[in-house]
Amino acid sequence: MIDKIPGPVADLAARAIEYFSSPAVLIQLGIIVVLTLPALLIGRRLGPALKERARSIKGMPGLLRVIVAFLQRIQWLLLALFFGLAYMLTTVAAWPGSSYLLYVAMLLSAAWLVISVASHALRSRLLRKAIAYAGWAYVAALILGIADDVAAILDTAGFDVGKIHISILTVSQAALLLGAAMWLSFAVGNFVDQRIRNVDDLTPSLRVLLGKITRISLVILAVLITLSGLGIDLTALTVLSGAVGVGIGFGLQKVVSNFISGIIILVDESIKPGDTISLGETFGWIRELRARFVSVVTRDGREFLIPNEDFITNEVVNWSFSDKYVRLDVDFGVSYDSNPHDVTRVAIDAAGGVDRVDASRNPPVCWMTEFGDSSLNFKLRFWISDPQAGLTNIRGKVLLALWDAFKEHGIGIPYPHREVIMKTPVTVTSTDA
């Protein structure tokens, strides 16, 4: 039956049957089974107790995570210890035949313990398991000395596309290389981006721009290294990449437009994180600049994700472009019985007493603007240095301060009224029902 199996599979199967038909190997298999049962029982009882003790560690979440992952797999440590002890005893006792299977079982148990614990550095559970199983299978093939045979078997299951041979082996290699390269690029990119954000000599926009350029460059480099490591000629992809680029350009026109607009915003520094802006009906401060959109947080806590293109094509009011000092106006009116000079003085003093009004750098001013139908109209102007804290609330505080001050000084605030003068006498008569 083995003769009907093609190629490397038949050779590997024949070697396995020949090896496991040896009496010494069968005895070692029995020893492995016998030692596995107590290791599992002891690990099941010992692991939870040690894990509860480990959770008392405070202030080191990274170390605690590794320790808990190790204690959850303590049965594998016991298996490696039991198999290693059995290997040493059989070797010292001059075991009739080789004890190589016990040695391999010890190495495989230890390898799975190390790989499964190390894979907990990854956050994704699915990715963690996939990498752990793939890594352990590769290490097992190396320990058993069948790595070349397994590679030959995986390479036979495939097909050719031009000069490129696609098989399970090449796909697996591509996935491993790309995964490792992308993980390394993201790790290095995050590290460099964090370093750039801590450089005080750079402007916020330049920090964001350098961070994005670094991340994109590292991702492109990771893809190129993966293709080169698989032996793919990059020059053969020139025409294909050009055609794909044209298609992507038409299909992702808005995405590309927003991306280019984001680069322009970062270069000319028209807006930057922390600026207070008005765009249409949206008023808030910029929280973050992204490759496709700008995150704007309003006073009511809502976060608007506005495409970068809108900041290039539409009119944007940047309240803190050159500095954060903003002048606000408050209109009010008083009765004709009031002295305008006293009103001006009282209004300036009242506005200067509000906490957010910057009276030291730019004192408030008050001007009479017109003789209205029912009131003397004034315009009060004052400056603030924190527009991101809100504009409506500071106007409300100033109006309340004016109300209190006018009440204290006897200045009246009129309401609209009309007088009707009848030029002909009017006789009022009443009729009894």
Side-chain angles (χ1 to χ4, degrees), residues 34 45 57 68 75 86 98 110 113 116 120 176 187 206 212 233 259 283 289 296 309 315 338 368 377 401 408 412 424:
V34 171
R45 289 180 175 273
I57 299 176
V68 170
Q75 64 269 22
S98 175
L113 176 64
S116 60
H120 267 67
L176 289 175
L206 188 57
K212 293 185 182 300
D233 187 8
F259 179 75
F283 172 82
L289 302 178
V296 179
E309 186 180 9
E315 180 180 342
S338 304
M368 181 175 173
N377 295 330
E408 181 181 353
T424 58

Side-chain angles (χ1 to χ4, degrees), residues 247-312:
I248 292 177
F250 282 106
L252 303 177
Q253 184 177 2
K254 281 294 184 180
V255 176
V256 174
S257 175
N258 287 318
F259 179 75
I260 299 300
S261 300
I263 295 178
I264 295 174
I265 290 173
L266 292 173
V267 171
D268 65 11
E269 298 182 1
S270 56
I271 58 174
K272 55 187 179 296
D275 282 352
T276 303
I277 60 100
S278 296
L279 179 62
E281 298 295 328
T282 304
F283 172 82
W285 62 92
I286 297 176
R287 180 179 181 180
E288 189 178 6
L289 302 178
R290 291 288 188 93
R292 189 182 61 83
F293 59 84
V294 175
S295 171
V296 179
V297 181
T298 60
R299 286 285 299 164
D300 55 4
R302 290 184 295 176
E303 188 168 1
F304 289 83
L305 307 181
I306 304 176
N308 292 329
E309 186 180 9
D310 292 352
F311 287 89
I312 300 297

Side-chain angles (χ1 to χ4, degrees), residues 105-123:
M106 177 191 68
L107 293 181
L108 292 178
S109 302
W112 173 251
L113 176 64
V114 174
I115 292 173
S116 60
V117 172
S119 64
H120 267 67
L122 302 173
R123 295 290 182 181

